[in-house]
Amino acid sequence: MGLQVKDVVLELGDGDQKITALDHVSFGIAAGELLAVLGPSGAGKSSLLAVCGGLRHPTSGTVVIGDKELTAMHDSQLTRLRLKSIGFVFQQSNLISSLTSLDQLMLMVHLGGHRPTKADRDHAMSLLRSVDMAHRANRLPDQLSGGERQRIGIARALMTKPSLLLVDEPTSMLDRVRGRQIVELLSEQCHQHQVAAVMVTHDRSMLDAADRSLHIVDGRIQEAAVSATN
Amino acid sequence: MFLALRDLAFAKGRFLLMSMIIALVAFLMTLLSGLASGLIKNNISGLMALDVTHLAFEYNDRPNYRNSMVEREMWEGWRDAEGVLAVEPLGHTLFTARTPEGLPLDDVVLWGVEPGSFLEPEVTFGESLKGPDDGVIISALLANKHDVKLGDMIVLDRVLTKLTVIGITDEQNIGHVPVIYTPMRKWQEATYGPPGGPAPGESLPDILFDYASVIALKLTPDADIESVDIEWGTVTMDKQLAYEASLGYKEEVQTVQMIQGFMVVISALVIGAFFTIWTIQRTQEIGLVKALGGSSAYLLRDTMAQALILMLLAVGIGTFFAVWLGLSLEESGKPFMLVRDNIAGSSGLLIVAGLIGSMVSVRLIARIDPIIALGRTR
Ligand SMILES: Nc1ncnc2c1ncn2[C@@H]1O[C@H](COP(=O)(O)OP(=O)(O)OP(=O)(O)O)[C@@H](O)[C@H]1O
Ligand SMILES: [Mg+2]
């Protein structure tokens, strides 16, 4: 299980505007491992998540999640893979404004084309409890604080029991204490559910919550900076 | 359906406003449909009631009920043709009429029919036609509008022919004018004879009685209409075409249909505009759902379901109120008639138009790239 990224190149734009957002990037993470990705703005961090999540086709190189090779897949196969195997946590909480906290999670069942069962509901409630949001299960997003929304986002990402969690700057909208709580929650969830996780962040102080970290500058991994944080 | 229903509940105001517009359009569509049926009934109910398959007119490039005159040899000729089940001459003359006291009864159409023939209508009151001097059957429109009763006398202007009402049938009009079913001989007298009838002691020349306006036909499908037409100098139309030979019928039906057509197009456009804006507003969330693993097909189904719910509810409400108003219009005797199939048809058309309109969002939804979910700010 886990994620294997090999020699990925991603070119964006065309003509004079063409830039290499990812330049021969390779790394791997195992199930239950949280990898922090750091780097300055424009370094290619979001691009890396997009490629790992099947939202962008890399120009070359391979991405393998579990035993599935993403680069060989059509868009519709990628969509199904995202639903089944990948959990996204976005920079902004990115919740759907018409759904209550519980329904944000239940949506994932509907997207899979199933009628939710009691077991699905119980699973959703237990996830809400694990992010300490059970008491807000029936609230709409605009009745929640930024940190609360981020926690719902994490619970939603875990709803389909994914094998890979992709997290884009989960703390940028939060103060330091809240941010810290979110990252700790992520690390705890990822260990508990044995999920491989990639977390992009700006904030070096979050590094100790991760198992490993990786620095990107101008689309390239800074070799020296690949390190184990603990 | 999950998202569709939650969105409907969440954006109540917007959807309510939209359904009000659609409901109003449906309301107008139903009223128009009632008006169309009412106009048709008011115009040609007499023709519709005739138990014929075809009508033969005197040959003319624009045949109608007023410029056609057929002779006895024509209808007898038709009688001998193949595939002809029944043939009767029919007289048609427009008169203005009065009561014996001189009160106006406005326009009436005298239809001359052979008493006892298949052209004679069923009476709702009174009795059927007998001899030429025994009386006439009038359309309910004349009876209701001018309070003409059984036994009353009607005097035709100009020719001063006196008619006695012996029967009243349903509303049977042509060109919006009530029909008076008159025995053929009486009709020929009134149409071709001198004012006031023959001088005392004299009788009218026989030749008067060899003419009528059109030939009413019951034909089998294999009748060779064309060659009989050529042989006898007639031009034969099936019943539907014969409707159009009635004054104003074609224009009225076309006008109403044109208005209905415009309304269908307008609803499709309004719904299209609404769902376009609605989809654009939701671009971020649609991208998010796609990033989470929702397929375009799921989102499209959802949107179509939303449109269908909106249309069904709004059209239902609009039609309900129109029928409610229509019933009272019908009762007040206005040219208005609720015909279930027509109303269902126009409402159905509206719903289809709405769904077609909502399909503009199909392309928009399909084009949204899930990558926007990773965007920093929206
Ligand atoms: N659609 C695009 N077309 C062309 N260039 C793009 C496109 N998207 C991103 N880029 C460029 O690719 C580079 C990497 O972008 P990316 O969003 O991955 O950076 P990032 O590391 O996530 O930055 P930030 O920390 O600001 O979010 C940037 O230089 C950006 O301008
Ligand atoms: Mg970024």
Side-chain angles (χ1 to χ4, degrees):
Chain A
M1 296 308 273
L3 167 73
Q4 292 300 322
V5 175
K6 265 202 207 88
D7 225 17
V8 162
V9 176
L10 177 68
E11 287 173 346
L12 291 174
D14 39 24
D16 292 347
Q17 306 291 314
K18 189 146 139 183
I19 64 142
T20 306
L22 295 175
D23 193 357
H24 297 280
V25 170
S26 301
F27 66 92
I29 41 174
E33 193 177 20
L34 175 61
L35 172 76
V37 175
L38 287 116
S41 182
K45 306 184 296 295
S46 295
S47 302
L48 180 64
L49 287 188
V51 167
C52 293
L55 294 176
R56 276 206 195 285
H57 291 281
T59 313
S60 67
T62 56
V63 177
V64 179
I65 298 174
D67 54 358
K68 301 228 168 55
E69 148 111 58
L70 269 60
T71 25
M73 290 185 175
H74 309 296
D75 280 349
S76 60
Q77 291 173 306
L78 287 174
T79 304
R80 217 167 313 134
L81 179 85
R82 278 202 298 278
L83 183 65
K84 283 193 162 163
S85 311
I86 302 176
F88 272 108
V89 180
F90 301 98
Q91 184 165 3
Q92 277 194 321
S93 46
N94 249 343
L95 301 179
I96 293 182
S97 48
S98 63
L99 301 183
T100 63
S101 305
L102 179 61
D103 281 343
Q104 306 281 347
L105 274 62
M106 299 309 280
L107 173 66
M108 302 307 293
V109 183
H110 289 278
L111 290 184
H114 306 295
R115 249 171 214 297
T117 59
K118 177 148 189 325
D120 292 319
R121 221 184 138 76
D122 291 345
H123 178 53
M125 279 313 290
S126 80
L127 282 172
L128 285 180
R129 260 193 303 279
S130 74
V131 296
D132 201 15
M133 284 296 292
H135 61 301
R136 299 278 190 262
N138 294 316
R139 292 240 182 140
L140 290 170
D142 55 6
Q143 301 165 320
L144 298 173
S145 75
E148 287 175 328
R149 277 184 241 173
Q150 204 56 280
R151 279 188 271 164
I152 300 293
I154 292 168
R156 178 178 64 190
L158 294 167
M159 181 67 191
T160 55
K161 302 179 178 143
S163 49
L164 175 66
L165 207 55
L166 298 172
V167 187
D168 197 8
E169 305 206 35
T171 62
S172 62
M173 308 289 285
L174 307 175
D175 62 51
R176 195 152 280 259
V177 181
R178 295 285 161 108
R180 180 85 212 160
Q181 285 171 353
I182 292 295
V183 172
E184 271 165 11
L185 177 67
L186 267 169
S187 136
E188 173 194 311
Q189 295 290 330
C190 133
H191 295 147
Q192 184 187 328
H193 298 283
Q194 281 299 295
V195 183
V198 180
M199 178 179 77
V200 166
T201 180
H202 265 117
D203 190 345
R204 290 182 168 277
S205 70
M206 304 297 174
L207 284 187
D208 58 331
D211 302 303
R212 284 194 300 144
S213 70
L214 178 154
H215 285 244
I216 299 190
V217 177
D218 287 341
R220 267 186 296 271
I221 294 181
Q222 302 302 99
E223 288 301 337
V226 181
S227 60
T229 50
N230 48 7
Chain B
M1 286 289 276
F2 178 71
L3 259 183
L5 291 174
R6 301 302 150 109
D7 277 343
L8 276 173
F10 184 71
K12 283 191 268 326
R14 257 169 288 182
F15 280 103
L16 200 68
L17 205 64
M18 197 58 214
S19 29
M20 271 162 64
I21 295 170
I22 301 300
L24 273 177
V25 174
F27 180 82
L28 289 176
M29 280 288 280
T30 303
L31 283 188
L32 271 176
S33 150
L35 182 66
S37 308
L39 273 176
I40 289 171
K41 178 180 164 200
N42 195 264
N43 193 333
I44 56 156
S45 47
L47 278 179
M48 286 161 84
L50 283 185
D51 182 22
V52 301
T53 60
H54 293 73
L55 288 174
F57 295 74
E58 180 190 9
Y59 180 78
N60 188 304
D61 57 347
R62 300 179 70 188
N64 64 44
Y65 299 91
R66 283 151 292 133
N67 64 13
S68 172
M69 182 162 92
V70 293
E71 299 172 35
R72 183 174 297 276
E73 63 168 5
M74 291 177 170
W75 69 76
E76 310 233 296
W78 262 102
R79 206 161 265 158
D80 297 334
E82 224 161 286
V84 178
L85 300 174
V87 176
E88 282 296 336
L90 174 68
H92 173 110
T93 319
L94 183 68
F95 286 101
T96 53
R98 290 176 188 277
T99 65
E101 294 79 39
L103 296 174
L105 296 173
D106 301 333
D107 288 350
V108 296
V109 162
L110 238 57
W111 267 5
V113 301
E114 213 51 70
S117 74
F118 69 88
L119 293 179
E120 201 184 324
E122 301 262 332
V123 290
T124 37
F125 301 102
E127 40 193 313
S128 47
L129 298 178
K130 282 177 229 82
D133 291 315
D134 289 332
V136 296
I137 299 172
I138 62 170
S139 160
L141 182 69
L142 189 62
N144 298 338
K145 208 160 132 192
H146 295 286
D147 201 25
V148 179
K149 290 186 283 290
L150 291 177
D152 283 0
M153 191 171 280
I154 295 170
V155 183
L156 302 178
D157 283 352
R158 190 165 49 98
V159 297
L160 308 176
T161 304
K162 294 188 178 68
L163 308 169
T164 310
V165 178
I166 58 165
I168 298 174
T169 183
D170 324 321
E171 183 170 334
Q172 294 200 6
N173 315 329
I174 177 161
H176 300 293
V177 177
V179 169
I180 298 180
Y181 284 92
T182 313
M184 195 49 143
R185 262 189 103 79
K186 191 79 178 175
W187 176 84
Q188 285 157 330
E189 238 180 82
T191 304
Y192 304 122
E202 286 180 29
S203 62
L204 295 172
D206 282 347
I207 188 153
L208 293 194
F209 303 106
D210 287 337
Y211 292 97
S213 303
V214 297
I215 306 171
L217 300 167
K218 283 203 226 187
L219 304 180
T220 59
D222 51 275
D224 185 2
I225 294 170
E226 212 172 314
S227 63
V228 186
D229 267 347
I230 290 170
E231 190 177 353
W232 296 107
T234 52
V235 43
T236 300
M237 300 182 188
D238 65 19
K239 211 175 175 185
Q240 185 65 42
L241 271 175
Y243 291 164
E244 293 177 9
S246 173
L247 196 66
Y249 174 78
K250 207 168 163 181
E251 292 77 7
E252 287 163 12
V253 170
Q254 278 174 351
T255 307
V256 175
Q257 279 175 348
M258 189 184 69
I259 300 174
Q260 284 183 316
F262 273 124
M263 306 235 320
V264 168
V265 172
I266 288 171
S267 335
L269 290 178
V270 168
I271 287 278
F274 174 75
F275 273 95
T276 302
I277 294 168
W278 176 238
T279 306
I280 290 172
Q281 273 185 348
R282 292 196 311 148
T283 299
Q284 180 71 21
E285 291 195 352
I286 291 169
L288 168 67
V289 172
K290 283 186 170 188
L292 291 176
S295 61
S296 288
Y298 177 89
L299 285 159
L300 292 177
R301 269 202 306 277
D302 214 56
T303 301
M304 296 307 282
Q306 210 167 42
L308 189 64
I309 292 170
L310 180 74
M311 292 306 295
L312 284 177
L313 273 178
V315 170
I317 291 169
T319 306
F320 174 83
F321 280 107
V323 168
W324 185 63
L325 180 69
L327 287 175
S328 60
L329 280 176
E330 232 175 21
E331 257 166 43
S332 71
K334 299 243 160 44
F336 191 92
M337 186 165 65
L338 295 166
V339 181
R340 206 183 42 199
D341 288 355
N342 294 356
I343 292 170
S346 71
S347 303
L349 204 62
L350 206 57
I351 291 173
V352 171
L355 291 183
I356 290 173
S358 71
M359 290 211 283
V360 295
S361 59
V362 168
R363 249 182 68 222
L364 291 175
I365 289 177
R367 269 204 318 230
I368 293 173
D369 188 343
I371 194 106
I372 59 174
L374 276 178
R376 178 178 296 274
T377 49
R378 37 172 302 157

